[in-house]
Amino acid sequence: MRAFVYEPLPGRVCFAPGGAADRLAAEVAALGLRRIMVIAGGAETGLADDVVRGIVGLVAARFDEVRPHVPADVADAARRLAAESSVDGLVTIGGGSTTGTGKIVALTTGLPLICVPTTYAGSEVTPVWGITTAGRKETGRDPRVLPRSVVYDADLTAGLPRSITVASALNAMAHCVEAYWAPGANPVTSLAATEGIRVLAVGLRGPGAVDRERLLYGSYLAGAAFAVAGSALHHTICHVLGGAFDLPHAETHAVLLPSVLTFNAEAAPAAEAQIAGALAAPAAVPALAALYRDIGAPRGLRSLGLTHEQLDRAVDLVAERLPIANPRPVGRQDIAEILESAY
Ligand code: NAD
């Protein structure tokens, strides 16, 4: 046994299949909240109307201007509404963009946050916040943004289109893969990552339709592993691309993952073996490729709308972040090759 430090993060995690509304009401009561701001927009608005039915009398404000990557003007508007409405707690119902909006309000106000996720982003169990100002995404870690409670209900993901389901679950798988070698990795995060990959792969393959219960549980394991392990090369590349070129978050992760795994596999043999085992195959890289083929995963940064000129700029922007934590030393040329292969 090698020496290691594992600092688990606080927070309640509730799995409530088919019961999000009741569980949310119970969590709100347990925290003693009386004036809540509900954050939910876009496709999640209808879901939110149903999930808050047990707390309607406590909703003092609703914020629905959610946008990807939390632009600074959205953060300002959400913080203003929370202050004007004198709320004492925040509830988010939605994907990672919604969770991120709640976190950015919690960051400056210290308000307790309850999250009800509707995708597999995993942000709801991490202390990581993000905000985008003039095309540059800034992120940080702060215990104030860690939700006090998370309510998982797979029924809320039933309406996710197949393309978002696949990309979002692969976003979760990328959390797992990077959790083996990010700076805070330890045997406990690797355990969660391995089970996360196994459950996500089984959930994605079906039979028939995806298994949403498994995907949601896998996304929780992925977020929990990533929250403690931290981020390395893969997340650095994705967050630079997302902030600078407004690429869709989950799809960017999905597209990058095979290239980053291929780059690192030989340099991280223990992780490679665990990933292969989780995918029930002899080697990780071909096993991931087979999964991508089987489920029709998105491939190619070009297909996400990135131009070749932007690709060159992306190499510069990622290289500005060097040195970057990674099991294999990484330089500018490596970044160029990884991005070219993902293109
Ligand atoms: P998203 O929240 O933008 O959702 C993607 C799309 O799916 C949106 O159009 C949304 O309206 C729709 N949608 C969500 N739930 C739905 C449902 N149940 N049915 C139908 N449509 C639904 O994207 P995401 O991938 O969930 O989150 C991405 C954001 O989360 C990024 O900003 C990323 O940086 C952040 N994130 C942060 C962390 C962290 O630890 N801080 C971790 C992961 C992701």
Side-chain angles (χ1 to χ4, degrees):
M1 172 63 73
R2 67 174 175 84
F4 71 91
V5 173
Y6 171 48
E7 190 176 350
L9 293 161
R12 276 164 66 83
V13 174
C14 314
F15 277 81
D22 290 347
R23 190 69 250 167
L24 175 64
E27 295 305 298
V28 164
L31 286 170
L33 305 180
R34 310 293 306 165
R35 291 183 63 79
I36 294 162
M37 179 160 95
V38 173
I39 302 174
E44 296 97 303
T45 308
L47 288 173
D49 291 344
D50 190 42
V51 171
V52 301
R53 65 178 187 269
I55 56 166
V56 271
L58 306 177
V59 176
R62 281 191 68 153
F63 184 80
D64 61 6
E65 297 159 43
V66 174
R67 296 217 311 273
H69 303 301
V70 195
D73 60 318
V74 170
D76 289 344
R79 288 165 169 164
R80 210 177 310 120
L81 183 62
E84 285 166 5
S85 312
S86 304
V87 301
D88 63 6
L90 308 165
V91 170
T92 65
I93 300 154
S97 301
T98 310
T99 307
T101 307
K103 284 175 154 185
I104 214 70
V105 179
L107 179 68
T108 48
T109 60
L111 287 167
L113 173 63
I114 302 176
C115 292
V116 186
T118 65
T119 68
Y120 310 116
S123 174
E124 64 282 353
V125 286
T126 85
V128 179
W129 53 266
I131 189 167
T132 304
T133 312
R136 191 174 166 92
K137 189 164 181 180
E138 181 196 354
T139 59
R141 288 175 77 91
D142 195 301
R144 276 176 301 184
V145 310
L146 192 66
R148 300 283 286 276
S149 184
V150 179
V151 176
Y152 286 111
D153 176 357
D155 284 8
L156 303 179
T157 63
L160 267 180
R162 165 124 190 137
S163 60
I164 299 181
T165 298
V166 167
S168 191
L170 292 174
N171 179 192
M173 195 168 284
H175 295 334
C176 293
V177 170
E178 192 131 283
Y180 290 109
W181 51 58
N186 64 66
V188 185
T189 50
S190 295
L191 188 68
T194 302
E195 181 62 358
I197 291 172
R198 192 188 69 77
V199 172
L200 288 165
V202 171
L204 277 167
R205 280 207 162 101
V210 295
D211 180 336
R212 295 197 177 277
E213 301 281 353
R214 281 202 169 83
L215 293 185
L216 199 59
Y217 178 57
S219 76
Y220 158 63
L221 292 171
F226 167 62
V228 174
S231 61
L233 177 63
H234 174 92
H235 283 75
T236 304
I237 294 175
C238 290
H239 124 200
V240 167
L241 290 178
F245 307 111
D246 212 17
L247 294 187
H249 175 86
E251 287 80 353
T252 306
H253 276 266
V255 163
L256 250 304
L257 181 60
S259 301
V260 177
L261 179 63
T262 302
F263 180 73
N264 281 325
E266 273 186 32
E272 193 278 338
Q274 282 171 293
I275 296 165
L279 293 172
V285 171
L288 189 69
L291 177 68
Y292 271 53
R293 272 195 307 277
D294 291 352
I295 62 175
R299 302 303 298 262
L301 288 171
R302 191 210 314 250
S303 73
L304 302 185
L306 198 74
T307 66
H308 219 281
E309 293 69 46
Q310 288 174 322
L311 190 73
D312 295 339
R313 175 94 186 105
V315 174
D316 293 338
L317 291 172
V318 177
E320 281 174 16
R321 309 267 172 149
L322 288 169
I324 299 170
N326 199 55
R328 176 176 162 189
V330 57
R332 193 179 192 290
Q333 186 55 31
D334 301 313
I335 294 166
E337 285 170 18
I338 290 168
L339 283 174
E340 189 63 49
S341 101
Y343 192 70

